Structures are given as C-alpha cells and as structure tokens.
C-alpha cells in the first residue's frame, strides 16, 4: 500500500544544494521531507569534490616520497614507497563515509524526514518514490528541486569498460599504466595530474587550443609548465573520435591539430568533457516549468516559473560548484520561511586543484576592460613570499593578482595561482563582498610568514609601492 505524505517543504536531491536547503528549512521549523535516490551528499561528497581532493592529497604525498627516494629532499631520504591503490581508495571511501554519516546526522537533528528512492513527479507538487519498504507519495506546499548534474557522455566513447567518467576514476582499484584524459578542464586536469603523481603515464587530449579554458592564460601557464615537467603529453586542438580495441589492448583514436590521425594506447580513457543538468526521467516535463537552455530557469530568488517550485545548484546553471548550490539552498529555505532574500553575490570564487592550484574571484583584467572599466592591476609573485620559499612553493610560477577600479580603488577581482592558494579563496571573496578598496587590503596586517601576505603586497603593487618587490 502507498504511504501518503503531505509536507510543507519537499526537497528532491540530497547533494549540497538539497541537503543544505533541507537542514535550513528544518532549523526554521518547516516540516521538511528530503528524497535522495543515491547517498546523502550528492555528487560533491560521494563522487566529486571530497573524494577527488582526497585522491589528489594522497597522490601528492606519494609523489613527495618518490622524489625523496630518488634524491633526498630537504635533507630527508626515504626508501622507495609502495602504492596500494585499492587501499588508498578504501581510505578515501572512509572519509566519504564519515561525511555522509555526518550529513544524515545533521538532517536528523534538523528533524528532516529522509526518504531513500527516486522521486518521479506527476505534477509540480506531487511525486511518487519507490522505496525499499514500498511506494510513498509526497505532496508538498513548496518543492525545492536540487537534482544536480551528470557527466557528459560522448556518443562515440560511451562510458563502460575502459572508458570511464570521474566517478569510476575515483574508484579504480588498479592503477592504469596508461591513462588518456579527454578534456583539459578542471576535473580532467585535477584527476590526470593525480594519476601522474601516482605513477600512471598520462596523456591529455583537448579540442580547444588551450588547457583550462575557464581560466585566463596567465593563470593556466604555471599549470601547463608543471604538466610538461611531469611528462604529461597534452594534445591541443585534437579531437577524440573513438576507441580502437584489439584483444586486450585499447587505443584512443584522435584527429590531431593538423588533421593527422593519432592512436594513443590506453588502459583507461577518462572522459571529462563537462557536466549537464540532470533534467530527465523524473517528470520535469509534467511540472510546466520554463527552461533556460538545458537548465531549469530561475529568477534571483531561485523561483521557477511555477509558483512555490524552487530550483537550485547544478540544475539551474553555471557555475556548477558546491558552494553556489549550498548558498542557494540556504537562501531558498529562508525565503520559504518568510525572509526577503535574493541570490546576488558579488563573486563566487572558483578553484582548480591542479599543481599548482588556481583561484579566481570576481573580474579578471580582460573581463573588467571588456566591461568598459578603467582598472589598476597588481601582481605579487610567490617567489618573493617567504612562506612560499619555506614550503618549496616559490619555484612553480605562482602569484596573486588584484584588479581594482582606477578611480576609487575598489576591488573588482582577485586571481591567484600557486601552492595552497585554494585556502586564500575565502579571503578574496570576503574582500569583494565587503567592497574592499586596495587601501583596505594593503592596510590589513597579515601574519608573517604566510602565503596570504601576497594579497596585501599585490594591492600595494597596484598602488605603486609594493615593499617586497
Ligand atoms: P548534486 O551534488 O549533483 O546532487 C544531486 C542529487 O540529487 C544526487 O545525489 C542525485 O542522486 C539526486 N537526485 C537527482 N534526481 C533525483 C530524483 N528524481 N530522486 C531522488 N534523488 C535524485 N565543486 C566545487 O565547488 N569544488 C570542487 O572541488 C569540485 N570538485 C568536483 C570534482 C568532480 C570529480 C565532480 C564530478 C564535481 C566537482 N564539483 C566541485 C562540482 C560539485 O560536485 C557540484 O557543483 C555539486 O555537487 C552540485 O550540487 P547539487 O546539490 O546541485 O547537485
């Protein structure tokens, strides 16, 4: 028999958009039901941000030991390390399991009812869920759609066997001897670099004529340099066209820049050519909701064209990032509870966890100029930062760059590349949100020695009087 539930708020999708929305709704005293077909935590926690950063960390540790085994580093010599990838993946799974349990606990504490199963809508406010203990029908006054996104599959390279997406790449129990990555965006380069550090021979194929098209060329250059030094071959302007299999051996067939055909032997081909909103197979078409291209269309409150149906996260467009999804989820819960809110951030910082890392927040110089703004820029190199020197982080071309209005010195953007710059992203976003001027940043006393000192120095440089360069 079908269990019928009526609730104030129904959230579909337990990723960072959905679970944050549900927790906040629960905290605000709204009766809330969350439906999730897979594991709580969604793409980010289960098969995205967290597991990828765990693997990247493990790869960095292993790489450091390999280097120390080759020739002592910092006076430290070790014997040759041994990698057991299956064990590394189990360690990574342990982190995911703990966080997944944490999300379940937070939802429980907020008194959210969680239903495990796939929600299929029959109209905008009603869905059916097949659960292990039978069918459930949920009707809600407010619906928050947080269905997330899926990896884009190339029709001539369908996922399966040796052709894998990031999800399978994060669960391999044997290191591919040869890994070919299709797509030089952030996911492909983060994972490709990690596998190189773990010992795979890695080749990257990218259809455009540059890596990391989402980041400006100056920011991508240190990463390109590391890829070359690490022995990762990058084929730019090259198109993968299919997989050739002879017996046990596979090769990615590629049309090179000059039209020349290439065959790249591969134990695995990792396809990372983007992600698409998850809009199929759950009854979206029954909800009479307007679309914006492939995404669900929302206004600045994340309201869809259907009254009291809200949509957040990867489902509603770029940037497809965890912190955007979570911020929208929190906001929508508060709006439903009666708050006046709109989603209007000055900046949503984005990080690429490559070697070295990249951060972008706000406008890049070209973007500011294209917007007709008269700007000042200031660049401070990691090579002049004492902490970077003490951490072997000064030699990889890292820098912090600020972009500000020439007239009132208000900050427009901050970009950085270098070791651990991801940890500076919050400071950059805060400065932008607070409307900081170059003088505010330069006048904030930063702890010495820290990488963060590069930020006020970049501001001083934009003002024409940097101290340490
Ligand atoms: P998702 O996390 O995709 O969650 C959607 C959930 O909805 C899923 O769990 C799905 O099972 C469920 N669902 C969908 N339809 C239904 C239905 N009908 N019924 C029941 N359940 C349903 N972002 C960052 O900010 N930083 C990073 O470092 C980063 N690294 C990444 C690395 C990788 C390899 C990948 C793939 C992504 C990464 N991302 C990163 C992106 C990030 O994971 C997403 O932006 C984020 O997860 C989006 O959250 P969401 O809640 O919108 O959707």
């Amino acid at each position: 028999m079908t269990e019928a539930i009526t609730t104030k708020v129904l959230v579909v999708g337990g990723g960072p958009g959905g679970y944050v929305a549900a927790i906040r709704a629960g905290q605000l005293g709204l009766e809330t039901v969350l439906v999730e077909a897979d594991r709580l935590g969604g793409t980010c926690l289960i098969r995205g941000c967290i597991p990828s950063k765990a693997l990247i960390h493990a790869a960095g540790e292993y790489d450091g030991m390999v280097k120390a085994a080759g020739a002592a580093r910092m006076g430290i010599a070790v014997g040759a390390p041994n990698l057991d990838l299956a064990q590394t993946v189990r360690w990574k799974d342990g982190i995911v399991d703990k966080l997944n349990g944490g999300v379940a606990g937070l939802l429980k504490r907020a008194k959210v009812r969680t239903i495990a199963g796939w929600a299929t809508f029959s109209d905008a406010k009603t869905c059916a869920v097949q659960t292990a203990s039978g069918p459930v029908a949920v009707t809600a006054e407010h619906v928050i759609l947080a269905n997330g996104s899926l990896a884009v599959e190339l029709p001539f390279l369908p996922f399966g066997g040796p052709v894998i997406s990031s999800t399978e790449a994060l669960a391999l129990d044997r290191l591919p001897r040869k890994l070919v990555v299709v797509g030089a965006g952030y996911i492909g380069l983060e994972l490709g670099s990690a596998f190189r550090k773990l010992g795979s021979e890695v080749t990257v194929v990218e259809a455009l004529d540059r890596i990391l098209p989402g980041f400006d060329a100056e920011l991508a250059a240190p990463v390109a340099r590391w890829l070359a030094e690490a022995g990762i071959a990058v084929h730019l302007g090259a198109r993968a066209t299919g997989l050739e299999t002879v017996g046990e051996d596979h090769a990615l067939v590629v049309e090179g820049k000059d039209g020349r055909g290439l065959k790249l032997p591969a134990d695995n081909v990792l396809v990372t050519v983007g992600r698409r909103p998850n809009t199929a197979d759950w009854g979206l078409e029954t909800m009479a909701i307007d679309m914006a291209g492939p995404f669900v269309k929302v206004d600045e409150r994340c309201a869809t064209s259907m009254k009291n149906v809200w949509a957040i996260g990867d489902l509603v467009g770029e940037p497809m990032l965890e912190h955007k999804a979570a911020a929208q989820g929190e906001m929508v819960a508060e709006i439903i509870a009666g708050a006046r809110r709109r989603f209007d951030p000055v900046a949503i910082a984005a990080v690429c966890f490559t070697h070295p890392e990249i951060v972008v927040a706000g406008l890049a110089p070209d973007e500011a100029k294209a917007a007709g703004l008269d700007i000042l820029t200031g660049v401070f190199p990691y090579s002049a930062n004492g902490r970077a020197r003490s951490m072997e982080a000064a030699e990889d071309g890292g820098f912090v760059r600020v972009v500000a209005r020439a007239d009132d010195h208000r900050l427009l953007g901050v970009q950085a590349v270098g070791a651990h710059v991801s940890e500076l992203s919050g400071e950059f976003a805060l400065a932008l949100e607070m409307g900081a001027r170059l003088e505010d940043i330069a006048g904030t006393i930063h702890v010495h020695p820290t990488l963060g000192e590069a930020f006020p120095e970049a501001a001083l440089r934009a003002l024409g009087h940097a101290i340490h360069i």
Side-chain angles (χ1 to χ4, degrees):
M1 207 175 96
T2 302
E3 183 192 359
I5 300 172
T6 304
T7 185
K8 173 88 176 174
V9 180
L10 163 66
V11 183
V12 179
Y19 85 71
V20 168
I23 289 172
R24 189 69 189 120
Q27 286 174 344
L28 290 162
L30 306 172
E31 188 188 20
T32 303
V33 170
L34 171 74
V35 183
E36 168 56 59
D38 197 323
R39 296 180 69 195
L40 291 169
T43 303
C44 177
L45 202 163
I46 308 298
R47 51 192 170 273
C49 327
I50 298 296
S52 64
K53 270 78 240 184
L55 190 76
I56 289 166
H57 173 70
E61 293 285 299
Y62 180 73
D63 186 47
M65 289 180 217
V66 168
K67 288 191 175 126
R73 285 172 66 225
M74 299 176 275
I76 303 167
V78 296
N82 181 44
L83 175 71
D84 177 346
L85 187 63
Q87 185 62 32
T88 306
V89 167
R90 278 197 290 280
W91 164 79
K92 177 268 295 177
D93 288 343
I95 296 165
V96 169
D97 290 347
K98 275 207 183 69
L99 292 172
N100 164 259
V103 171
L106 292 169
L107 286 164
K108 201 166 164 198
R109 202 168 72 193
K111 300 197 169 43
V112 174
R113 174 164 175 189
T114 305
I115 298 178
W118 185 258
T120 307
F121 281 82
S122 49
D123 65 50
K125 306 284 169 53
T126 313
C127 74
V129 189
Q130 284 302 331
T131 74
S133 50
V136 179
V138 190
T139 304
E141 193 181 324
H142 291 268
V143 172
I144 304 177
L145 300 172
N147 306 62
S149 64
L150 303 166
V152 170
E153 190 170 20
L154 294 172
F156 48 86
L157 273 178
F159 293 129
V163 181
I164 57 176
S165 74
S166 55
T167 303
E168 293 79 39
L170 290 165
L172 289 173
D173 54 9
R174 270 208 351 236
L175 191 72
R177 232 170 10 93
K178 291 176 191 288
L179 175 71
V180 179
V181 180
V182 180
Y186 87 93
I187 294 178
L189 290 192
E190 284 184 6
L191 293 178
S193 301
F195 277 101
R196 178 68 199 118
K197 288 183 179 182
L198 291 170
S200 296
E201 195 180 297
V202 176
T203 307
V204 177
V205 175
E206 166 59 53
L208 299 177
D209 59 4
R210 50 161 304 192
I211 61 163
L212 296 174
F215 298 86
D216 72 52
E218 279 176 37
L219 293 166
V223 176
R225 205 175 82 192
W226 183 84
L227 295 174
E229 282 167 11
I232 297 181
V234 181
H235 297 276
L236 297 175
R239 292 185 173 277
T241 56
L243 187 75
E244 192 177 274
T245 299
V246 179
E248 302 270 280
D249 298 329
H250 311 287
L252 183 73
V253 184
V254 175
E255 191 185 307
K257 195 172 193 160
D258 46 10
R260 207 162 40 95
L262 291 171
K263 281 186 189 162
L264 303 172
D267 298 313
N268 285 109
V269 175
L270 168 60
V271 179
T272 52
V273 292
R275 295 187 61 82
R276 63 180 170 84
N278 178 13
T279 50
D281 302 327
W282 50 268
L284 176 61
E285 61 287 352
T286 68
M287 301 176 89
I289 283 176
D290 289 349
M291 303 295 288
F295 297 102
V296 169
K297 185 176 177 187
V298 289
D299 65 12
E300 74 285 354
R301 298 158 70 233
C302 288
T304 68
S305 55
M306 172 61 72
K307 188 164 188 281
N308 291 348
V309 176
W310 313 81
I312 57 177
D314 285 6
L315 189 65
V316 301
E318 297 286 353
M320 291 203 207
L321 293 171
E322 192 276 357
H323 36 293
K324 184 206 73 172
Q328 290 181 330
E330 189 189 20
M331 178 194 73
V332 166
E334 294 195 354
I335 292 173
I336 293 172
R340 284 170 64 88
R341 296 271 316 264
R342 65 196 178 103
F343 192 70
D344 186 22
V346 175
I348 302 173
V351 170
C352 178
F353 291 84
T354 39
H355 191 137
E357 295 175 351
I358 302 178
V359 178
V360 292
L363 296 181
D366 286 351
E367 291 166 333
K369 283 181 205 152
L373 295 164
D374 195 9
I375 57 166
L376 292 177
T377 60
V379 175
F380 189 79
Y382 255 23
S383 57
N385 174 281
R387 181 68 172 145
R389 289 234 162 251
S390 69
M391 296 170 71
E392 299 184 293
E395 306 300 332
D396 54 16
F399 62 84
V400 174
R401 179 176 69 200
V402 296
V403 183
R405 294 177 67 104
D407 52 4
D408 61 3
H409 297 176
R410 196 167 296 276
L411 198 62
L412 294 166
V414 191
Q415 301 82 38
V417 53
H420 306 294
V421 287
S422 55
E423 294 302 329
L424 305 183
S425 59
E427 183 179 1
F428 300 160
L430 181 66
L432 287 161
E433 287 294 342
M434 300 299 287
R437 298 165 65 236
L438 291 172
E439 289 79 355
D440 298 320
I441 296 155
T444 302
I445 298 174
H446 281 66
V447 170
H448 178 74
T450 59
L451 299 171
E453 287 174 285
F455 189 29
E457 285 278 11
L460 281 173
R461 199 152 189 220
L463 291 167
H465 48 92
I467 299 293
H468 288 96
I469 192 157

